[in-house]
Short mmCIF file of all heavy atoms in Angstrom, two decimals:
data_model
loop_
_atom_site.label_atom_id
_atom_site.label_comp_id
_atom_site.label_asym_id
_atom_site.label_seq_id
_atom_site.Cartn_x
_atom_site.Cartn_y
_atom_site.Cartn_z
N MET A 1 -25.42 9.42 -8.07
CA MET A 1 -24.65 8.27 -8.50
C MET A 1 -23.39 8.70 -9.22
O MET A 1 -22.35 8.07 -9.08
CB MET A 1 -25.53 7.39 -9.40
CG MET A 1 -24.88 6.11 -9.83
SD MET A 1 -24.66 5.06 -8.40
CE MET A 1 -24.02 3.62 -9.15
N ARG A 2 -23.46 9.78 -9.98
CA ARG A 2 -22.30 10.26 -10.73
C ARG A 2 -21.18 10.70 -9.77
O ARG A 2 -20.02 10.41 -10.00
CB ARG A 2 -22.71 11.43 -11.63
CG ARG A 2 -21.59 11.92 -12.49
CD ARG A 2 -22.11 12.96 -13.51
NE ARG A 2 -21.11 13.27 -14.47
CZ ARG A 2 -20.27 14.29 -14.36
NH1 ARG A 2 -20.33 15.08 -13.30
NH2 ARG A 2 -19.37 14.52 -15.30
N THR A 3 -21.56 11.38 -8.69
CA THR A 3 -20.58 11.83 -7.70
C THR A 3 -19.89 10.63 -7.06
O THR A 3 -18.67 10.64 -6.86
CB THR A 3 -21.26 12.69 -6.63
OG1 THR A 3 -21.94 13.77 -7.26
CG2 THR A 3 -20.25 13.22 -5.64
N PHE A 4 -20.66 9.60 -6.74
CA PHE A 4 -20.09 8.39 -6.15
C PHE A 4 -19.07 7.76 -7.09
O PHE A 4 -17.98 7.36 -6.66
CB PHE A 4 -21.20 7.38 -5.84
CG PHE A 4 -20.68 6.05 -5.43
CD1 PHE A 4 -20.16 5.85 -4.16
CD2 PHE A 4 -20.68 4.98 -6.32
CE1 PHE A 4 -19.67 4.61 -3.78
CE2 PHE A 4 -20.19 3.75 -5.96
CZ PHE A 4 -19.68 3.56 -4.68
N LEU A 5 -19.40 7.67 -8.38
CA LEU A 5 -18.47 7.08 -9.34
C LEU A 5 -17.19 7.90 -9.46
O LEU A 5 -16.10 7.33 -9.57
CB LEU A 5 -19.14 6.92 -10.70
CG LEU A 5 -20.17 5.80 -10.79
CD1 LEU A 5 -20.84 5.82 -12.16
CD2 LEU A 5 -19.53 4.45 -10.53
N ILE A 6 -17.31 9.21 -9.44
CA ILE A 6 -16.12 10.06 -9.51
C ILE A 6 -15.23 9.83 -8.30
O ILE A 6 -14.01 9.68 -8.43
CB ILE A 6 -16.53 11.55 -9.63
CG1 ILE A 6 -17.17 11.80 -11.00
CG2 ILE A 6 -15.33 12.46 -9.42
CD1 ILE A 6 -17.80 13.16 -11.14
N VAL A 7 -15.81 9.78 -7.13
CA VAL A 7 -15.04 9.54 -5.90
C VAL A 7 -14.43 8.14 -5.93
O VAL A 7 -13.27 7.94 -5.59
CB VAL A 7 -15.92 9.74 -4.65
CG1 VAL A 7 -15.19 9.29 -3.39
CG2 VAL A 7 -16.33 11.19 -4.53
N TRP A 8 -15.21 7.14 -6.36
CA TRP A 8 -14.74 5.76 -6.41
C TRP A 8 -13.57 5.61 -7.38
O TRP A 8 -12.56 4.97 -7.06
CB TRP A 8 -15.89 4.84 -6.81
CG TRP A 8 -15.54 3.39 -6.72
CD1 TRP A 8 -15.58 2.62 -5.60
CD2 TRP A 8 -15.12 2.55 -7.80
NE1 TRP A 8 -15.19 1.34 -5.92
CE2 TRP A 8 -14.90 1.27 -7.26
CE3 TRP A 8 -14.91 2.76 -9.15
CZ2 TRP A 8 -14.48 0.21 -8.03
CZ3 TRP A 8 -14.49 1.70 -9.92
CH2 TRP A 8 -14.28 0.43 -9.36
N ILE A 9 -13.67 6.21 -8.56
CA ILE A 9 -12.59 6.14 -9.55
C ILE A 9 -11.36 6.88 -9.03
O ILE A 9 -10.23 6.42 -9.21
CB ILE A 9 -13.06 6.68 -10.91
CG1 ILE A 9 -14.08 5.71 -11.53
CG2 ILE A 9 -11.89 6.91 -11.85
CD1 ILE A 9 -14.78 6.24 -12.75
N GLY A 10 -11.55 7.99 -8.36
CA GLY A 10 -10.43 8.72 -7.77
C GLY A 10 -9.72 7.90 -6.71
O GLY A 10 -8.49 7.87 -6.64
N GLN A 11 -10.49 7.22 -5.87
CA GLN A 11 -9.91 6.37 -4.83
C GLN A 11 -9.17 5.19 -5.46
O GLN A 11 -8.09 4.81 -5.00
CB GLN A 11 -11.00 5.87 -3.89
CG GLN A 11 -10.49 5.03 -2.74
CD GLN A 11 -9.63 5.82 -1.78
OE1 GLN A 11 -9.77 7.03 -1.63
NE2 GLN A 11 -8.71 5.14 -1.14
N LEU A 12 -9.73 4.61 -6.49
CA LEU A 12 -9.08 3.51 -7.19
C LEU A 12 -7.74 3.95 -7.78
O LEU A 12 -6.73 3.27 -7.63
CB LEU A 12 -9.99 2.96 -8.28
CG LEU A 12 -9.43 1.81 -9.11
CD1 LEU A 12 -9.28 0.57 -8.24
CD2 LEU A 12 -10.34 1.54 -10.30
N ALA A 13 -7.73 5.12 -8.42
CA ALA A 13 -6.49 5.64 -8.99
C ALA A 13 -5.46 5.93 -7.89
O ALA A 13 -4.27 5.65 -8.06
CB ALA A 13 -6.78 6.91 -9.79
N SER A 14 -5.92 6.44 -6.77
CA SER A 14 -5.02 6.72 -5.66
C SER A 14 -4.41 5.45 -5.09
O SER A 14 -3.20 5.39 -4.84
CB SER A 14 -5.78 7.46 -4.55
OG SER A 14 -4.97 7.64 -3.42
N MET A 15 -5.22 4.43 -4.91
CA MET A 15 -4.72 3.16 -4.38
C MET A 15 -3.75 2.51 -5.36
O MET A 15 -2.71 1.97 -4.95
CB MET A 15 -5.88 2.22 -4.07
CG MET A 15 -6.69 2.65 -2.87
SD MET A 15 -8.17 1.65 -2.58
CE MET A 15 -7.54 0.01 -2.55
N LEU A 16 -4.07 2.56 -6.64
CA LEU A 16 -3.18 2.01 -7.65
C LEU A 16 -1.84 2.74 -7.65
O LEU A 16 -0.78 2.11 -7.69
CB LEU A 16 -3.84 2.10 -9.03
CG LEU A 16 -3.03 1.54 -10.20
CD1 LEU A 16 -2.80 0.04 -10.02
CD2 LEU A 16 -3.75 1.81 -11.50
N GLY A 17 -1.87 4.05 -7.57
CA GLY A 17 -0.64 4.83 -7.52
C GLY A 17 0.19 4.53 -6.28
O GLY A 17 1.42 4.43 -6.35
N SER A 18 -0.48 4.36 -5.15
CA SER A 18 0.23 4.03 -3.91
C SER A 18 0.92 2.68 -4.01
O SER A 18 2.08 2.53 -3.60
CB SER A 18 -0.73 4.04 -2.73
OG SER A 18 -1.21 5.34 -2.50
N GLU A 19 0.23 1.69 -4.54
CA GLU A 19 0.82 0.36 -4.67
C GLU A 19 1.96 0.35 -5.69
O GLU A 19 2.97 -0.34 -5.49
CB GLU A 19 -0.24 -0.67 -5.04
CG GLU A 19 -1.24 -0.93 -3.94
CD GLU A 19 -0.59 -1.40 -2.64
OE1 GLU A 19 0.36 -2.20 -2.67
OE2 GLU A 19 -1.04 -0.93 -1.58
N MET A 20 1.83 1.11 -6.76
CA MET A 20 2.91 1.21 -7.74
C MET A 20 4.14 1.87 -7.11
O MET A 20 5.28 1.47 -7.38
CB MET A 20 2.44 1.98 -8.97
CG MET A 20 1.45 1.21 -9.82
SD MET A 20 0.73 2.19 -11.15
CE MET A 20 2.15 2.54 -12.14
N THR A 21 3.91 2.88 -6.27
CA THR A 21 5.02 3.53 -5.58
C THR A 21 5.71 2.57 -4.63
O THR A 21 6.94 2.51 -4.57
CB THR A 21 4.50 4.76 -4.81
OG1 THR A 21 3.90 5.66 -5.73
CG2 THR A 21 5.62 5.46 -4.06
N ASN A 22 4.92 1.80 -3.87
CA ASN A 22 5.52 0.81 -2.96
C ASN A 22 6.35 -0.21 -3.73
O ASN A 22 7.44 -0.58 -3.30
CB ASN A 22 4.43 0.10 -2.15
CG ASN A 22 3.78 1.01 -1.14
OD1 ASN A 22 4.34 2.02 -0.75
ND2 ASN A 22 2.59 0.64 -0.72
N PHE A 23 5.85 -0.65 -4.86
CA PHE A 23 6.59 -1.61 -5.68
C PHE A 23 7.88 -1.00 -6.20
O PHE A 23 8.95 -1.62 -6.16
CB PHE A 23 5.71 -2.08 -6.84
CG PHE A 23 6.38 -3.08 -7.73
CD1 PHE A 23 6.59 -4.38 -7.30
CD2 PHE A 23 6.82 -2.71 -9.00
CE1 PHE A 23 7.23 -5.30 -8.12
CE2 PHE A 23 7.44 -3.62 -9.82
CZ PHE A 23 7.65 -4.92 -9.39
N ALA A 24 7.81 0.25 -6.67
CA ALA A 24 9.00 0.91 -7.20
C ALA A 24 10.05 1.13 -6.10
O ALA A 24 11.25 0.95 -6.34
CB ALA A 24 8.62 2.25 -7.83
N ILE A 25 9.61 1.49 -4.91
CA ILE A 25 10.55 1.67 -3.80
C ILE A 25 11.21 0.35 -3.44
O ILE A 25 12.41 0.30 -3.15
CB ILE A 25 9.84 2.30 -2.59
CG1 ILE A 25 9.50 3.76 -2.89
CG2 ILE A 25 10.68 2.19 -1.33
CD1 ILE A 25 8.65 4.43 -1.84
N THR A 26 10.45 -0.74 -3.49
CA THR A 26 11.02 -2.06 -3.21
C THR A 26 12.09 -2.41 -4.24
O THR A 26 13.18 -2.87 -3.88
CB THR A 26 9.91 -3.12 -3.21
OG1 THR A 26 8.93 -2.75 -2.25
CG2 THR A 26 10.45 -4.48 -2.87
N ILE A 27 11.81 -2.20 -5.51
CA ILE A 27 12.78 -2.48 -6.57
C ILE A 27 14.01 -1.59 -6.40
O ILE A 27 15.16 -2.04 -6.54
CB ILE A 27 12.15 -2.28 -7.96
CG1 ILE A 27 11.00 -3.25 -8.17
CG2 ILE A 27 13.19 -2.42 -9.06
CD1 ILE A 27 11.39 -4.70 -8.11
N TRP A 28 13.80 -0.33 -6.08
CA TRP A 28 14.91 0.60 -5.88
C TRP A 28 15.78 0.15 -4.70
O TRP A 28 17.02 0.16 -4.80
CB TRP A 28 14.37 2.00 -5.64
CG TRP A 28 15.43 2.98 -5.25
CD1 TRP A 28 16.32 3.60 -6.08
CD2 TRP A 28 15.72 3.43 -3.93
NE1 TRP A 28 17.14 4.41 -5.34
CE2 TRP A 28 16.80 4.32 -4.02
CE3 TRP A 28 15.16 3.17 -2.68
CZ2 TRP A 28 17.32 4.95 -2.90
CZ3 TRP A 28 15.70 3.78 -1.57
CH2 TRP A 28 16.77 4.68 -1.69
N ALA A 29 15.16 -0.23 -3.59
CA ALA A 29 15.93 -0.66 -2.42
C ALA A 29 16.74 -1.91 -2.75
O ALA A 29 17.88 -2.05 -2.30
CB ALA A 29 15.00 -0.93 -1.24
N TRP A 30 16.18 -2.81 -3.52
CA TRP A 30 16.91 -4.02 -3.91
C TRP A 30 18.10 -3.67 -4.80
O TRP A 30 19.20 -4.19 -4.62
CB TRP A 30 16.00 -5.01 -4.60
CG TRP A 30 16.74 -6.22 -5.07
CD1 TRP A 30 17.15 -6.49 -6.33
CD2 TRP A 30 17.20 -7.31 -4.27
NE1 TRP A 30 17.82 -7.69 -6.36
CE2 TRP A 30 17.86 -8.22 -5.12
CE3 TRP A 30 17.10 -7.60 -2.91
CZ2 TRP A 30 18.43 -9.38 -4.65
CZ3 TRP A 30 17.66 -8.78 -2.45
CH2 TRP A 30 18.31 -9.65 -3.31
N SER A 31 17.90 -2.77 -5.75
CA SER A 31 18.99 -2.43 -6.67
C SER A 31 20.10 -1.65 -5.96
O SER A 31 21.26 -1.77 -6.32
CB SER A 31 18.47 -1.64 -7.87
OG SER A 31 18.01 -0.38 -7.47
N VAL A 32 19.74 -0.85 -4.95
CA VAL A 32 20.75 -0.08 -4.23
C VAL A 32 21.53 -0.95 -3.25
O VAL A 32 22.75 -0.87 -3.17
CB VAL A 32 20.10 1.11 -3.50
CG1 VAL A 32 21.05 1.77 -2.52
CG2 VAL A 32 19.60 2.13 -4.50
N THR A 33 20.82 -1.80 -2.50
CA THR A 33 21.48 -2.55 -1.43
C THR A 33 21.82 -3.99 -1.81
O THR A 33 22.81 -4.52 -1.33
CB THR A 33 20.59 -2.59 -0.17
OG1 THR A 33 19.39 -3.30 -0.47
CG2 THR A 33 20.27 -1.19 0.32
N GLY A 34 20.98 -4.64 -2.60
CA GLY A 34 21.20 -6.05 -2.93
C GLY A 34 20.93 -6.96 -1.75
O GLY A 34 21.34 -8.12 -1.76
N GLN A 35 20.25 -6.47 -0.74
CA GLN A 35 19.96 -7.25 0.47
C GLN A 35 18.46 -7.36 0.68
O GLN A 35 17.69 -6.49 0.28
CB GLN A 35 20.60 -6.60 1.69
CG GLN A 35 22.10 -6.53 1.63
CD GLN A 35 22.68 -5.82 2.83
OE1 GLN A 35 21.94 -5.20 3.60
NE2 GLN A 35 23.98 -5.91 3.01
N ALA A 36 18.07 -8.41 1.37
CA ALA A 36 16.65 -8.64 1.61
C ALA A 36 16.13 -7.88 2.83
O ALA A 36 14.93 -7.63 2.93
CB ALA A 36 16.38 -10.12 1.81
N THR A 37 17.01 -7.47 3.72
CA THR A 37 16.56 -6.80 4.94
C THR A 37 15.82 -5.49 4.64
O THR A 37 14.74 -5.27 5.20
CB THR A 37 17.75 -6.54 5.88
OG1 THR A 37 18.39 -7.79 6.15
CG2 THR A 37 17.31 -5.92 7.18
N PRO A 38 16.35 -4.62 3.79
CA PRO A 38 15.57 -3.40 3.48
C PRO A 38 14.21 -3.71 2.86
O PRO A 38 13.23 -3.00 3.11
CB PRO A 38 16.46 -2.64 2.50
CG PRO A 38 17.83 -3.14 2.75
CD PRO A 38 17.66 -4.56 3.16
N LEU A 39 14.15 -4.78 2.07
CA LEU A 39 12.86 -5.15 1.46
C LEU A 39 11.86 -5.55 2.53
O LEU A 39 10.69 -5.19 2.46
CB LEU A 39 13.06 -6.29 0.47
CG LEU A 39 14.02 -6.03 -0.68
CD1 LEU A 39 14.07 -7.24 -1.60
CD2 LEU A 39 13.65 -4.80 -1.43
N SER A 40 12.33 -6.31 3.52
CA SER A 40 11.41 -6.73 4.58
C SER A 40 10.96 -5.55 5.41
O SER A 40 9.80 -5.49 5.84
CB SER A 40 12.05 -7.80 5.46
OG SER A 40 13.19 -7.29 6.12
N PHE A 41 11.84 -4.59 5.65
CA PHE A 41 11.44 -3.38 6.38
C PHE A 41 10.41 -2.58 5.58
O PHE A 41 9.42 -2.11 6.15
CB PHE A 41 12.64 -2.49 6.68
CG PHE A 41 13.47 -2.96 7.84
CD1 PHE A 41 14.85 -2.92 7.77
CD2 PHE A 41 12.89 -3.43 9.01
CE1 PHE A 41 15.63 -3.34 8.83
CE2 PHE A 41 13.66 -3.86 10.07
CZ PHE A 41 15.04 -3.82 9.98
N ILE A 42 10.63 -2.43 4.31
CA ILE A 42 9.67 -1.71 3.47
C ILE A 42 8.31 -2.42 3.49
O ILE A 42 7.27 -1.79 3.66
CB ILE A 42 10.20 -1.56 2.03
CG1 ILE A 42 11.38 -0.59 2.01
CG2 ILE A 42 9.10 -1.09 1.09
CD1 ILE A 42 12.12 -0.56 0.70
N LEU A 43 8.32 -3.73 3.32
CA LEU A 43 7.08 -4.49 3.36
C LEU A 43 6.38 -4.32 4.70
O LEU A 43 5.17 -4.08 4.76
CB LEU A 43 7.36 -5.97 3.08
CG LEU A 43 6.15 -6.88 3.10
CD1 LEU A 43 5.23 -6.55 1.95
CD2 LEU A 43 6.57 -8.32 3.04
N PHE A 44 7.13 -4.43 5.78
CA PHE A 44 6.55 -4.31 7.11
C PHE A 44 5.92 -2.94 7.32
O PHE A 44 4.77 -2.83 7.76
CB PHE A 44 7.62 -4.57 8.18
CG PHE A 44 7.11 -4.41 9.58
CD1 PHE A 44 6.34 -5.41 10.16
CD2 PHE A 44 7.39 -3.27 10.30
CE1 PHE A 44 5.86 -5.26 11.45
CE2 PHE A 44 6.92 -3.12 11.59
CZ PHE A 44 6.15 -4.11 12.17
N PHE A 45 6.66 -1.88 6.99
CA PHE A 45 6.17 -0.53 7.28
C PHE A 45 5.11 -0.05 6.30
O PHE A 45 4.39 0.91 6.60
CB PHE A 45 7.33 0.45 7.35
CG PHE A 45 8.16 0.29 8.60
CD1 PHE A 45 9.47 -0.13 8.52
CD2 PHE A 45 7.61 0.54 9.84
CE1 PHE A 45 10.23 -0.30 9.67
CE2 PHE A 45 8.35 0.38 10.99
CZ PHE A 45 9.67 -0.04 10.91
N THR A 46 4.97 -0.69 5.16
CA THR A 46 3.89 -0.30 4.25
C THR A 46 2.63 -1.13 4.46
O THR A 46 1.53 -0.64 4.20
CB THR A 46 4.32 -0.40 2.78
OG1 THR A 46 4.72 -1.73 2.49
CG2 THR A 46 5.42 0.58 2.47
N GLN A 47 2.76 -2.35 4.93
CA GLN A 47 1.60 -3.22 5.09
C GLN A 47 0.99 -3.16 6.49
O GLN A 47 -0.21 -3.39 6.64
CB GLN A 47 1.96 -4.67 4.75
CG GLN A 47 2.40 -4.87 3.31
CD GLN A 47 1.34 -4.44 2.32
OE1 GLN A 47 0.16 -4.65 2.49
NE2 GLN A 47 1.80 -3.81 1.24
N THR A 48 1.78 -2.88 7.51
CA THR A 48 1.28 -2.86 8.88
C THR A 48 0.14 -1.85 9.07
O THR A 48 -0.88 -2.19 9.68
CB THR A 48 2.42 -2.58 9.87
OG1 THR A 48 3.40 -3.60 9.73
CG2 THR A 48 1.92 -2.57 11.30
N PRO A 49 0.24 -0.62 8.57
CA PRO A 49 -0.89 0.30 8.75
C PRO A 49 -2.18 -0.21 8.08
O PRO A 49 -3.27 0.02 8.59
CB PRO A 49 -0.42 1.59 8.08
CG PRO A 49 1.05 1.51 8.08
CD PRO A 49 1.38 0.06 7.96
N LYS A 50 -2.04 -0.90 6.96
CA LYS A 50 -3.22 -1.44 6.29
C LYS A 50 -3.89 -2.51 7.15
O LYS A 50 -5.12 -2.56 7.24
CB LYS A 50 -2.85 -2.02 4.93
CG LYS A 50 -2.37 -0.99 3.96
CD LYS A 50 -1.95 -1.63 2.67
CE LYS A 50 -1.29 -0.61 1.76
NZ LYS A 50 -0.81 -1.22 0.53
N VAL A 51 -3.11 -3.33 7.79
CA VAL A 51 -3.66 -4.38 8.65
C VAL A 51 -4.33 -3.76 9.85
O VAL A 51 -5.43 -4.16 10.23
CB VAL A 51 -2.54 -5.36 9.09
CG1 VAL A 51 -3.05 -6.33 10.14
CG2 VAL A 51 -1.99 -6.12 7.90
N ASN A 52 -3.70 -2.75 10.45
CA ASN A 52 -4.30 -2.10 11.61
C ASN A 52 -5.61 -1.41 11.26
O ASN A 52 -6.56 -1.47 12.02
CB ASN A 52 -3.32 -1.09 12.21
CG ASN A 52 -2.17 -1.76 12.93
OD1 ASN A 52 -2.27 -2.92 13.31
ND2 ASN A 52 -1.08 -1.04 13.09
N VAL A 53 -5.67 -0.76 10.13
CA VAL A 53 -6.91 -0.08 9.71
C VAL A 53 -8.00 -1.11 9.47
O VAL A 53 -9.14 -0.92 9.86
CB VAL A 53 -6.65 0.79 8.46
CG1 VAL A 53 -7.97 1.24 7.84
CG2 VAL A 53 -5.79 1.97 8.81
N ASN A 54 -7.67 -2.22 8.81
CA ASN A 54 -8.66 -3.24 8.52
C ASN A 54 -9.19 -3.88 9.79
O ASN A 54 -10.35 -4.23 9.87
CB ASN A 54 -8.09 -4.30 7.59
CG ASN A 54 -7.91 -3.78 6.19
OD1 ASN A 54 -8.57 -2.84 5.79
ND2 ASN A 54 -7.02 -4.41 5.45
N GLN A 55 -8.36 -4.02 10.81
CA GLN A 55 -8.84 -4.59 12.08
C GLN A 55 -9.77 -3.63 12.79
O GLN A 55 -10.71 -4.03 13.45
CB GLN A 55 -7.65 -4.94 12.97
CG GLN A 55 -6.90 -6.16 12.51
CD GLN A 55 -5.70 -6.47 13.38
OE1 GLN A 55 -5.35 -5.70 14.26
NE2 GLN A 55 -5.07 -7.61 13.14
N ASP A 56 -9.50 -2.32 12.68
CA ASP A 56 -10.36 -1.34 13.32
C ASP A 56 -11.74 -1.26 12.66
O ASP A 56 -12.71 -0.90 13.30
CB ASP A 56 -9.70 0.05 13.30
CG ASP A 56 -8.49 0.12 14.20
OD1 ASP A 56 -8.38 -0.73 15.10
OD2 ASP A 56 -7.65 1.04 14.00
N CYS A 57 -11.80 -1.62 11.39
CA CYS A 57 -13.06 -1.52 10.67
C CYS A 57 -13.97 -2.73 10.90
O CYS A 57 -15.15 -2.69 10.58
CB CYS A 57 -12.80 -1.38 9.17
SG CYS A 57 -12.03 0.19 8.75
N CYS A 58 -13.42 -3.80 11.44
CA CYS A 58 -14.21 -5.00 11.66
C CYS A 58 -15.18 -4.79 12.82
O CYS A 58 -14.89 -4.09 13.77
CB CYS A 58 -13.32 -6.20 11.96
SG CYS A 58 -12.31 -6.69 10.57
N CYS A 59 -16.30 -5.46 12.74
CA CYS A 59 -17.27 -5.42 13.82
C CYS A 59 -17.07 -6.67 14.68
O CYS A 59 -17.69 -7.70 14.44
CB CYS A 59 -18.69 -5.36 13.28
SG CYS A 59 -19.01 -3.86 12.34
N CYS A 60 -16.18 -6.56 15.63
CA CYS A 60 -15.88 -7.71 16.51
C CYS A 60 -16.65 -7.54 17.82
O CYS A 60 -16.61 -6.49 18.44
CB CYS A 60 -14.39 -7.81 16.78
SG CYS A 60 -13.42 -8.00 15.29
N ASN A 61 -17.32 -8.58 18.23
CA ASN A 61 -18.07 -8.52 19.49
C ASN A 61 -17.29 -9.18 20.58
O ASN A 61 -16.57 -10.03 20.51
CB ASN A 61 -19.42 -9.21 19.34
CG ASN A 61 -20.31 -8.42 18.41
OD1 ASN A 61 -20.17 -7.20 18.31
ND2 ASN A 61 -21.21 -9.09 17.73
#
């Protein structure tokens, strides 16, 4: 059980760091360009892999 908790906490920290990085890149792109197009590209390219992975994990008959 201890090993599971260590792995789970590590994964949680990793996911939190990834989302904070995505948020920071979005803020940076807005401050550099002042346009919404780079923000939509960032959102698209960061969220699309998550959607594809989640669809692969589903048990669809």
Side-chain angles (χ1 to χ4, degrees):
M1 185 67 176
R2 184 172 189 267
T3 305
F4 171 77
L5 286 175
I6 291 170
V7 171
W8 187 83
I9 290 170
Q11 183 65 28
L12 180 67
S14 175
M15 289 174 53
L16 181 63
S18 294
E19 292 302 320
M20 289 172 64
T21 301
N22 290 338
F23 180 73
I25 289 173
T26 303
I27 298 299
W28 172 79
W30 177 258
S31 67
V32 169
T33 63
Q35 298 177 348
T37 304
L39 301 182
S40 63
F41 282 138
I42 290 170
L43 180 67
F44 178 77
F45 287 114
T46 58
Q47 297 302 320
T48 301
K50 294 177 188 177
V51 171
N52 288 339
V53 168
N54 288 336
Q55 287 178 353
D56 291 340
C57 292
C58 293
C59 297
C60 301
N61 292 331

